[in-house]
Amino acid sequence: MRQCNTPTLALARQSLAGAMIRLGWPPADTFDAQLALGELISNAWNHANTPAPVVQILSVTTRTLRVGVSDESPVLPSLQPLDLFAESGRGLHLVAALTARWGVDRQERGKTIWFECELDGAA
């Protein structure tokens, strides 16, 4: 497990991309994972009021990627119905569309929201 303890979105995305590129993941899959990571970090900032979420690259292999973002809020996220006129509320839908699966693990303090990508495109 590799932790990227930084609230800096660019550095977290760069660390994730570096790990994926070293293992030979294609650019399109790497971009999708970076976008999903950005959504989870933004949610930690905006909805969980966590200025420095902990980003964990939990598992990267040649076939599977698992990334988690931990925040301090005990409130669990849920997919809300899409509102075409809303200015927000699409982040988890985007994560769900870009990844094979996502979920939430409660922690002693807060939670970790994670996603998994699979190289074969099983999103």
Side-chain angles (χ1 to χ4, degrees):
M1 175 173 59
R2 180 176 181 192
Q3 289 193 356
C4 310
N5 277 348
T6 176
T8 304
L9 181 57
L11 290 177
R13 288 173 49 110
Q14 184 179 21
S15 293
L16 177 60
M20 293 177 75
I21 290 167
R22 282 190 299 278
L23 288 168
W25 283 67
D29 290 343
T30 301
F31 180 78
D32 287 351
Q34 287 180 297
L35 187 55
L37 175 60
E39 287 299 325
L40 294 187
I41 291 173
S42 294
N43 284 350
W45 288 335
N46 297 324
H47 302 293
N49 296 318
T50 302
V54 176
V55 176
Q56 301 168 331
I57 302 173
L58 301 169
S59 170
V60 181
T61 69
T62 56
R63 308 281 322 154
T64 304
L65 163 75
R66 184 174 179 133
V67 175
V69 176
S70 299
D71 63 49
E72 299 172 0
S73 173
V75 178
L76 300 180
S78 62
L79 286 174
Q80 300 299 316
L82 287 174
D83 179 348
L84 297 177
F85 300 105
E87 294 181 8
S88 64
R90 294 174 183 82
L92 286 179
H93 288 278
L94 186 59
V95 171
L98 292 170
T99 65
R101 65 198 132 275
W102 71 276
V104 183
D105 296 329
R106 290 183 187 267
Q107 305 297 324
E108 186 173 318
R109 180 176 173 180
K111 63 187 171 296
T112 298
I113 305 172
W114 54 267
F115 65 83
E116 291 182 351
C117 298
E118 295 178 355
L119 190 57
D120 63 2

